[in-house]
Amino acid sequence: MLDYLFSPYTIRGKTIKNRCTVPPMVTDFCTADGKATERYIAYHEAKAKGGFGLIITEDYAIDPLGRGFRNVAGLWNDDQIESHSELPKRVHKYGATILAQIYHCGRQTNRGVINAVPFSSTAIACPFGTDIPQALTTEEVKQTVSKYGDTALRAKKCGFDGVEIHGAHGYLITQFLSPYSNKRVDEYGGSFFNRARFALEIIHDVRAKCGDDFIIDMRISADELVEGGITLEDTKALVPYLEEAGLDMIHISAGNYLSVDLNVPGCYVNHAWYVDMAKEVREICDIPVIAVSRINDPILANSILRSGKADFIAMGRASLADPEFPNKAKEGRFDEIRRCIACNEGCIGTLFGDNPIRCVLNPTLGNESHCAIEPAKVAKKVAVIGAGPAGLEAAMSAKKAGHNVTVYEKDSHAGGQFHLASIPPCKGEITDFIVWQTNQCAKLNIPIKYNTEATVALMQSEKPDAIILATGAAPVRPPIKGIENSNVVFANDILAGKVQPGANCVVIGGGQGGAETAHFLAQMLRNVVVLEMLDQIAADQAISPRWHLLKALENRKVQLHTNVKVTEITADSVKAEGKTNMEFPADTVVISTGSKSVNSLKDELANAGFDVKVIGDANKVGAVMDATSQGYEIGRFI
């Protein structure tokens, strides 16, 4: 069934063992001077060990002034070669092919990262930037071309099989290619050929310096998805010239920083939505094409190849969620694959705060070199109370360490509040992770006792040696006049299907939870108003899904009011103060003003003499990735 996905492909005498590809993703795992760390190497090694045939690293900056983040990889000088030479060796050990992506981010950086004014094709600021860049002189452009070739040669000396030239996502090459950003009037501006000159000269320079046995790939945005930017037809006109210049492979992406909601699409965007662009490019060239974007399932990946739309499938965030994705797929262990849910919280949300990436679902990401679960010296009987993400993660790691584990859950199913998070539109893939956790527990012979309220008496009868308390959180009821009225409900009750909402709904609280509940209500054709004390709606959500959520609320005609304070709830309305006094009709008032930890059982159990560890929201209300990480760690060290 997956013959296409697991067939080999030879480029420049190098045979790539399958079509499963890890695309470049910035990790922030390197040092401030661009050198590799063990953390960085082990992260890539895990993907090679997991069966990926082609691995393309994160952006290797060709110049320290071309970095977009403080701790990205770099090969801008010879001193960096030694630290990065270990990476290809470790990856080749598992039969994988590895390319170093090389880039200069141009205007898409800032003084805080490079301690200087950025450079670009033209003195036009990035929409997200704080600085107007300096336009490179004609001579500086030629010098920059040479820096790409020099960086590629260093990559070859490190042992990389080739490079991917980053010509996508609004970085420096795109800043020359695109009339959206290139307003030059020298030999690198104006006409199609002039705007393409920079990219073509880079390919020639890399080939001249690295020889014929070196793979040259280029990533491009087939459509920038912004007004005045590159379109698919522009790209189709360009690609034959890139191929003629010596390109061996082309990686079809889309977007730039202004269209980041589509460039790194979240759960609101369809699976594999760039793929038809890849197909059109493939039809006009003779080099292999890599397709990318929201491809998180091996059957989907194989179908794209089988339909002739691409030659390789890049599954970046899928590889973060499960670096063993290819091996599991090849062995038919589909139910063991931990599929990405496109939440963008750990990979993009964390990175944009200039912090090392994480994954909501995979607590071992970035910890590959020191996260192995070792056999416990003494096997214990462990009780886990709560079958949410934290509790089940703890149960699995404790079981792998050799303990005898039982999970107790008061509800009829697993997932806790994470299951409620799957109810709003476009969030259904969350259930895939919950099912994955319960399947893993079944394979590990971990019983989950549903509809079982954990009490001190129950624990005294079960006699566990240790208890992991993962009882989650409960909604906060704010001190608003009329909060006890019969028309007031919690968002959790709406999402759990316990309440049938009326025609006019007012949601108090416009964080991510309140905004997604409003979307759910609006899709049920209710009239919805959201009231938020702060100045933004869903400010706690990652940028890409947030933009789509706000657009969905706009399309569903949800009224959004910020900087307002609710003063009273009546039997049929909600009163609020903002710039003016307001009153909204309300058959149903939905409270979404945060949560508080549920952990009263902790003291009762401790007083009864039990060893109790509290994790997840029961310890401190926070993100799901904190809960899964805590669960994994407490389980392996219990």
Side-chain angles (χ1 to χ4, degrees):
M1 291 296 292
L2 301 178
D3 288 351
Y4 288 83
L5 189 60
F6 290 100
S7 61
Y9 199 112
T10 300
I11 304 173
R12 294 276 172 183
K14 295 177 171 65
T15 298
I16 302 169
K17 67 179 182 179
N18 62 46
R19 314 302 178 88
C20 299
T21 303
V22 178
M25 294 171 288
V26 174
T27 63
D28 231 21
F29 291 164
C30 289
T31 64
D33 58 357
K35 293 182 179 179
T37 62
E38 172 58 26
R39 186 182 194 188
Y40 177 74
I41 294 169
Y43 158 84
H44 288 96
E45 182 182 20
K47 299 177 190 303
K49 185 177 181 181
F52 282 93
L54 177 61
I55 295 173
I56 308 172
T57 69
E58 70 174 57
D59 319 332
Y60 275 79
I62 66 163
D63 187 312
L65 298 181
R67 295 172 298 144
F69 299 89
R70 288 187 181 86
N71 298 317
V72 296
L75 280 172
W76 60 76
N77 66 49
D78 290 349
D79 290 343
Q80 296 161 319
I81 293 174
E82 182 180 359
S83 74
H84 289 285
S85 296
E86 181 68 16
L87 174 56
K89 294 176 187 175
R90 299 261 285 270
V91 165
H92 287 152
K93 182 170 63 174
Y94 298 99
T97 302
I98 185 166
L99 309 182
Q101 188 186 67
I102 58 177
Y103 93 131
H104 190 301
C105 64
R107 71 183 190 177
Q108 291 184 171
T109 187
N110 60 72
R111 290 174 188 260
V113 173
I114 63 173
N115 298 313
V117 176
F119 291 93
S120 184
S121 63
T122 308
I124 300 175
C126 170
F128 282 90
T130 57
D131 305 292
I132 296 175
Q134 295 182 40
L136 291 162
T137 66
T138 303
E139 181 57 32
E140 287 171 335
V141 175
K142 295 183 184 299
Q143 292 170 1
T144 303
V145 168
S146 185
K147 289 180 180 180
Y148 276 93
D150 291 344
T151 300
L153 180 58
R154 292 187 189 101
K156 184 173 184 179
K157 291 178 179 178
C158 288
F160 287 96
D161 300 297
V163 293
E164 177 176 270
I165 301 166
H166 200 341
H169 304 165
Y171 291 122
L172 187 59
I173 291 174
T174 314
Q175 289 162 34
F176 277 86
L177 284 172
S178 175
Y180 162 71
S181 48
N182 186 346
K183 315 294 181 180
R184 300 175 71 94
V185 291
D186 64 355
E187 63 191 273
Y188 292 97
S191 70
F192 167 85
F193 286 106
N194 281 1
R195 286 185 283 108
R197 190 185 307 276
F198 185 52
L200 295 172
E201 288 181 349
I202 289 170
I203 295 171
H204 285 301
D205 196 66
V206 171
R207 180 62 70 205
K209 290 174 178 173
C210 296
D212 292 335
D213 62 342
F214 197 65
I215 297 171
I216 304 177
D217 172 29
M218 180 176 277
R219 195 176 208 190
I220 61 173
S221 289
D223 192 320
E224 283 191 281
L225 306 169
V226 297
E227 307 93 322
I230 295 169
T231 67
L232 177 58
E233 293 305 318
D234 295 329
T235 294
K236 288 163 62 178
L238 171 67
V239 167
Y241 293 94
L242 300 176
E243 184 178 1
E244 184 181 48
L247 202 64
D248 298 310
M249 187 183 330
I250 193 156
H251 189 167
I252 300 302
S253 187
N256 58 34
Y257 274 22
L258 187 57
S259 50
V260 68
D261 56 321
L262 298 171
N263 169 225
V264 190
C267 55
Y268 293 84
V269 178
N270 294 336
H271 290 111
W273 85 276
Y274 296 171
V275 167
D276 285 339
M277 295 186 198
K279 176 180 181 293
E280 292 207 35
V281 171
R282 191 173 187 264
E283 288 173 349
I284 54 89
C285 70
D286 295 318
I287 55 177
V289 172
I290 305 174
V292 69
S293 189
R294 282 277 278 139
I295 304 170
N296 67 348
D297 184 272
I299 298 173
L300 171 63
N302 193 72
S303 175
I304 293 165
L305 295 170
R306 187 171 187 172
S307 62
K309 293 184 176 182
D311 300 286
F312 289 85
I313 305 297
M315 297 172 280
R317 287 172 292 171
S319 76
L320 301 182
D322 196 337
E324 296 182 76
F325 180 110
N327 286 346
K328 291 176 180 178
K330 189 174 183 179
E331 295 164 11
R333 296 183 286 135
F334 300 114
D335 64 339
E336 293 187 30
I337 296 173
R338 186 169 40 201
R339 292 173 180 81
C340 171
I341 59 175
C343 66
N344 284 10
E345 294 291 341
C347 50
I348 300 301
T350 300
L351 180 68
F352 279 7
D354 209 9
N355 293 305
I357 64 169
R358 299 173 64 188
C359 179
V360 166
L361 311 184
N362 178 11
T364 68
L365 175 65
N367 303 307
E368 290 85 356
S369 62
H370 58 270
C371 68
I373 298 175
E374 303 293 341
K377 293 180 180 179
V378 178
K380 298 179 181 178
K381 183 177 183 181
V382 178
V384 177
I385 301 176
L392 293 188
E393 200 68 46
M396 289 185 287
S397 58
K399 182 70 174 186
K400 291 174 183 177
H403 300 297
N404 180 15
V405 183
T406 302
V407 180
Y408 303 86
E409 171 55 50
K410 67 178 181 178
D411 288 333
S412 60
H413 58 79
Q417 290 198 94
F418 204 42
H419 179 257
L420 295 180
S422 74
I423 304 301
C426 305
K427 302 296 294 291
E429 284 177 275
I430 286 175
T431 59
D432 195 314
F433 177 65
I434 298 170
V435 171
W436 177 84
Q437 282 196 313
T438 55
N439 281 345
Q440 289 298 105
C441 286
K443 289 178 183 294
L444 291 167
N445 295 314
I446 301 171
I448 304 175
K449 297 187 176 182
Y450 294 111
N451 301 305
T452 302
E453 182 84 37
T455 63
V456 172
L458 177 60
M459 292 298 102
Q460 287 173 331
S461 67
E462 296 286 302
K463 296 182 175 57
D465 300 308
I467 297 174
I468 299 173
L469 195 67
T471 42
V476 170
R477 186 182 294 272
I480 300 171
K481 183 179 179 181
I483 194 73
E484 303 296 339
N485 290 353
S486 61
N487 60 337
V488 178
V489 300
F490 287 117
N492 286 9
D493 296 326
I494 292 287
L495 298 175
K498 295 178 180 179
V499 175
Q500 178 72 345
N504 297 307
C505 300
V506 174
V507 179
I508 299 176
Q512 179 180 346
E516 289 181 345
T517 302
H519 188 194
F520 173 74
L521 290 166
Q523 198 181 60
M524 294 178 69
L525 305 180
R526 268 49 177 189
N527 302 313
V528 184
V529 174
V530 178
L531 305 178
E532 169 58 39
M533 291 183 66
L534 302 179
D535 60 358
Q536 294 186 69
I537 299 294
D540 52 336
Q541 189 171 28
I543 185 170
S544 174
R546 177 174 181 262
W547 283 11
H548 282 278
L549 174 58
L550 294 177
K551 186 66 175 177
L553 294 174
E554 179 185 352
N555 291 341
R556 290 287 178 183
K557 296 181 172 53
V558 174
Q559 294 183 49
L560 304 176
H561 297 272
T562 57
N563 296 306
V564 297
K565 179 182 179 181
V566 176
T567 56
E568 184 181 358
I569 300 169
T570 73
D572 56 8
S573 72
V574 173
K575 297 178 181 180
E577 294 177 348
K579 291 182 179 179
T580 62
N581 293 330
M582 298 171 281
E583 187 169 4
F584 305 94
D587 304 313
T588 304
V589 181
V590 182
I591 305 299
S592 183
T593 52
S595 301
K596 60 183 179 182
S597 297
V598 174
N599 55 22
S600 59
L601 197 57
K602 173 189 174 182
D603 291 337
E604 295 178 42
L605 290 168
N607 290 336
F610 289 104
D611 175 18
V612 184
K613 310 294 184 185
V614 185
I615 61 171
D617 281 352
N619 179 48
K620 181 182 178 182
V621 175
V624 178
M625 63 184 166
D626 294 326
T628 51
S629 294
Q630 289 173 27
Y632 184 85
E633 291 299 310
I634 203 71
R636 73 188 185 112
F637 291 123
I638 191 70

